[in-house]
């Protein structure tokens, strides 16, 4: 069965379906910022993490 479940309730129970095109998968990804440190005294750097910007719904 296509779709998704949340808290034990399948989306079809609520009349909702989600079937993205294969080309559209991943296009919904939100913008993000990468935090890192690049020291001046040597090559390389330190990866700190990623922060996703807040999503705005219309």
């Amino acid at each position: 069965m296509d779709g998704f479940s949340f808290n034990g309730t399948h989306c079809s129970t609520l009349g909702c379906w989600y079937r993205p095109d294969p080309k559209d998968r991943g296009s919904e990804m939100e913008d993000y910022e990468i935090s890192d440190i690049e020291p001046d005294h040597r090559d390389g750097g330190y990866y700190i993490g990623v922060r996703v910007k807040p999503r705005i719904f219309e």
Side-chain angles (χ1 to χ4, degrees):
M1 187 180 282
D2 289 351
F4 60 93
S5 293
F6 176 74
N7 204 19
T9 303
H10 193 268
C11 64
S12 63
T13 306
L14 304 172
C16 178
W17 292 270
Y18 177 68
R19 293 185 185 136
D21 251 359
K23 68 177 184 166
D24 292 333
R25 293 179 190 157
S27 64
E28 298 283 327
M29 190 167 184
E30 294 298 316
D31 292 335
Y32 60 91
E33 299 171 350
I34 298 175
S35 299
D36 61 354
I37 298 171
E38 293 184 21
D40 295 333
H41 61 279
R42 66 177 187 91
D43 292 336
Y46 299 100
Y47 173 77
I48 305 298
V50 175
R51 179 178 175 199
V52 177
K53 296 180 181 178
R55 188 172 189 178
I56 299 172
F57 294 94
E58 296 178 7

